[in-house]
Amino acid sequence: MQHVKVPQDRLGVLIGEGGETMREIERRAEVRLDIDSESGSVAIDATGDPVTAMVAPDIVRAIGRGFKPDAALSLLDDEMRMFELIDIEDATRNKNDLQRQKGRLIGENGRTRELMEELTGAEVVIYGTTLGIIGQPEEVQAVRRAAEMILDGAPHGAVYGFLERKHNELTHGVEL
């Protein structure tokens, strides 16, 4: 049995309308979820295939970090798909710096985050103090690198250039 902590404001999304999302996770990941709505603690117990069930904590964690249930459940679609979290707070000195860095990662009107998604194929969510990524390993790696560049103070233009090159690598590598 595993425990995952989910923020209070994400519990409703995890449970879903009439428990629909929770039931779908239980069915598809072959687990039982025991959600404590007071503490936000979610106990995850495998009920079927233990290998399938191993993905459940990441699904719950991803929803807890701002992903839509469909995006989180996509982790079950392909065993290579992965979920990764980058703690933005680690790269900041104080609250103001955290806000500034979050703003840089999101970009004007969400453009930077959007480009990360468009050019890598990964799903990217910025929630609280984390940047979450769901995608294939090379997609996740490209987003992680772009986020690190931004957090290290690289100009957006340089990051977009990097993402364009990665996009070409990712798309043209497949077509050969």
Side-chain angles (χ1 to χ4, degrees), residues 7 32 41 59 62 65-66 79 81 86 101 108 117 121-122 126 137 159 169 172:
R32 199 172 61 82
S41 179
I59 293 169
R65 296 318 305 162
E79 62 187 35
R81 268 183 96 68
I86 295 171
Q101 291 286 34
E108 206 166 325
E117 286 191 330
I126 296 160
V159 178
E169 273 175 42
H172 298 302

Side-chain angles (χ1 to χ4, degrees), residues 4-173:
V4 174
K5 195 114 169 70
V6 174
Q8 236 28 70
D9 64 326
R10 296 297 297 168
L11 285 174
V13 181
L14 176 64
I15 296 166
E17 208 168 311
E20 197 180 324
T21 306
M22 182 180 98
R23 278 195 303 278
E24 187 177 354
I25 295 167
E26 289 180 331
R27 184 180 57 78
R28 291 189 51 199
E30 301 182 25
V31 293
R32 199 172 61 82
L33 300 181
D34 189 6
I35 302 170
D36 179 344
S37 50
E38 287 293 299
S39 67
S41 179
V42 181
I44 304 165
D45 215 358
T47 57
D49 177 19
V51 178
T52 304
M54 277 173 32
V55 183
D58 273 349
I59 293 169
V60 172
R61 219 173 271 122
I63 292 172
R65 296 318 305 162
F67 282 93
K68 291 187 174 95
D70 287 348
L73 282 160
S74 77
L75 289 164
L76 288 165
D77 296 343
D78 171 354
E79 62 187 35
M80 291 302 286
R81 268 183 96 68
M82 59 189 285
F83 166 63
E84 190 168 307
L85 274 182
I86 295 171
D87 192 340
I88 304 166
E89 226 172 8
D90 286 350
T92 60
R93 298 180 298 277
N94 52 42
K95 278 251 190 292
N96 287 347
D97 198 28
L98 175 68
Q99 284 310 105
R100 187 181 66 79
Q101 291 286 34
K102 266 178 76 171
R104 292 194 74 225
L105 287 166
I106 295 165
E108 206 166 325
N109 299 320
R111 193 68 190 126
T112 303
R113 187 198 64 78
E114 223 169 73
L115 276 173
M116 284 183 194
E117 286 191 330
E118 277 172 29
L119 294 173
T120 63
E123 303 212 33
V124 181
V125 171
I126 296 160
Y127 173 89
T129 60
T130 59
L131 179 142
I133 316 162
I134 290 179
Q136 298 300 104
E138 60 281 5
E139 297 169 350
V140 170
Q141 190 183 351
V143 173
R144 186 191 322 114
R145 184 72 201 106
E148 285 167 355
M149 288 169 77
I150 290 171
L151 292 171
D152 286 344
H156 281 86
V159 178
Y160 298 159
F162 163 77
L163 287 169
E164 290 281 353
R165 286 192 304 280
K166 271 297 175 201
H167 174 72
N168 290 334
E169 273 175 42
L170 292 170
T171 52
H172 298 302

